[in-house]
Amino acid sequence: MFFRKRPSFAENDIDSVIEACRNHDAQAQRVLFKKFYGYSKSICLRYSATTEEAEEVLNESFLKVFQRLHQYDATHPFKAWLRSILINTAISYYRKYHKLDMSSLEAGQDVPFEDDVIGQISADEILALVQQLPPAYRTVFSMHVVDGYSLREIAEVLQSNEATIRSHFLRSRQRLQQAIRSAYPHLFPSDPAIPIRYYEN
């Protein structure tokens, strides 16, 4: 009779799983991937135009995770470290395959949104509209609104200037507002101006 080899780690102990991954334990790597798959996929989808692209970014990100686990400082939250790899990988992906250009898009003006309108649209529906934004707009919008980066931090990550990033963010809000009005005209019977909250620097 053959017996399954007992794992060298405790599946419910993230530190134990990570340590086993550092020792190239394939079973631990599968556990880590499965444990953070949903969280990671949701981030990749925000920065990708399609589900297929999100999967590519996700797989590439986890390759980097396993290669760089020796750099992870266990005194800090693992999710935060993982998130930075996911976002940076998504940015690198679009620079490589879609020429993420932070300088060629038009400037924009701030556009107000109303909470009662956004509240009537599901998260999946909003995500689908965000995915339709041009890569530069989508990246800046997701980093600022969803992941909480300041415009200054985004400028540093994308190697751009803060004024350009602010312009792209405002334009992304305009584009998203237009997309919402087009997709859900019944939500604007009197065509009011409508908010997506964003972080101040």
Side-chain angles (χ1 to χ4, degrees):
M1 180 180 293
F2 294 95
F3 295 92
R4 179 179 297 179
K5 182 180 178 181
R6 294 185 62 183
S8 60
F9 58 91
E11 290 192 15
N12 294 325
D13 183 348
I14 184 61
D15 292 332
S16 176
V17 174
I18 290 173
E19 186 58 34
C21 288
R22 283 173 170 159
N23 293 324
H24 310 292
D25 186 314
Q27 187 176 354
Q29 291 176 342
R30 287 193 293 271
V31 169
L32 190 70
F33 180 82
K34 183 177 180 181
K35 187 180 293 287
F36 290 97
Y37 176 82
Y39 170 77
S40 301
K41 181 69 173 291
S42 67
I43 292 176
C44 293
L45 282 170
R46 292 200 301 269
Y47 289 86
S48 303
T50 66
T51 300
E52 290 73 19
E53 287 184 349
E55 287 287 353
E56 289 184 29
V57 172
L58 176 63
N59 290 331
E60 186 174 337
S61 295
F62 267 91
L63 284 176
K64 293 179 180 179
V65 166
F66 295 134
Q67 292 169 352
R68 301 175 185 177
L69 268 178
H70 64 282
Q71 300 174 0
Y72 167 61
D73 182 352
T75 62
H76 296 90
F78 178 74
K79 267 191 173 182
W81 184 78
L82 171 61
R83 186 185 69 168
S84 68
I85 290 181
L86 292 164
I87 293 174
N88 287 330
T89 301
I91 292 170
S92 296
Y93 179 92
Y94 272 87
R95 279 181 172 151
K96 181 177 180 180
Y97 295 106
H98 296 277
K99 299 186 183 301
L100 184 60
D101 186 354
M102 301 308 300
S103 62
S104 64
L105 301 178
E106 66 266 40
Q109 300 296 320
D110 198 5
V111 177
F113 279 77
E114 292 183 1
D115 289 330
D116 59 344
V117 172
I118 298 302
Q120 297 180 61
I121 306 173
S122 72
D124 287 342
E125 290 171 325
I126 293 176
L127 173 60
L129 295 176
V130 170
Q131 287 180 313
Q132 296 174 24
L133 294 172
Y137 291 163
R138 181 172 62 243
T139 298
V140 172
F141 183 88
S142 295
M143 291 182 74
H144 194 45
V145 173
V146 184
D147 292 307
Y149 285 80
S150 71
L151 297 180
R152 184 178 298 106
E153 290 171 330
I154 297 172
E156 292 175 357
V157 171
L158 299 181
Q159 300 176 0
S160 183
N161 63 72
E162 189 174 345
T164 297
I165 296 302
R166 181 178 295 278
S167 176
H168 290 353
F169 172 64
L170 296 179
R171 188 58 183 167
S172 72
R173 282 161 54 89
Q174 288 181 336
R175 288 285 190 93
L176 188 56
Q177 181 196 51
Q178 293 167 0
I180 291 174
R181 288 179 183 276
S182 177
Y184 307 98
H186 60 283
L187 298 180
F188 305 93
S190 58
D191 197 36
I194 60 168
I196 291 181
R197 293 191 183 90
Y198 60 96
Y199 297 82
E200 295 294 340
N201 291 328

